[in-house]
Amino acid sequence: EYDATSIDARIEREVQSDGVVLYSFTGCPFCKKAKEVLAEEGARFTAIELDLDDDGGAVRARLGARTGRTSMPSVWIGGRYYGGCNDGSGAEAPGLLPLRDSGKLRTLLRKVRAL
């Protein structure tokens, strides 16, 4: 049991707090890959490890309600959801690797001053 309004407010604060925010699990291979990609790009980012967070399950559930996906990682750039590591939920949220491979990731990272 959790307070959805409180968790939603937390998520909104977090995704607006840094240019790049990554919700993650420490042992997740896709999460590790996403962090590696951002590091290789030289990006500054905040990783929020939900498996180490007392409210991690609630945050994951509310991310799912917001994005339609509960898989991790959940990548946010400039307060906007961009999917996971390999994929997302369509053209608006294609995933981190497709953004990198299309050349759009560096542009987004520059826009939010994460480079």
Side-chain angles (χ1 to χ4, degrees), residues 40-43 99-100 103-111 115:
E40 288 166 3
E41 293 290 328
L99 281 174
R100 181 197 64 189
K104 295 177 183 175
L105 178 59
R106 289 193 70 77
T107 300
L108 289 169
L109 295 173
R110 281 190 203 96
K111 184 177 178 184
L115 291 179

Side-chain angles (χ1 to χ4, degrees), residues 92-105:
E92 295 299 311
L96 192 62
L97 292 177
L99 281 174
R100 181 197 64 189
D101 295 345
S102 71
K104 295 177 183 175
L105 178 59

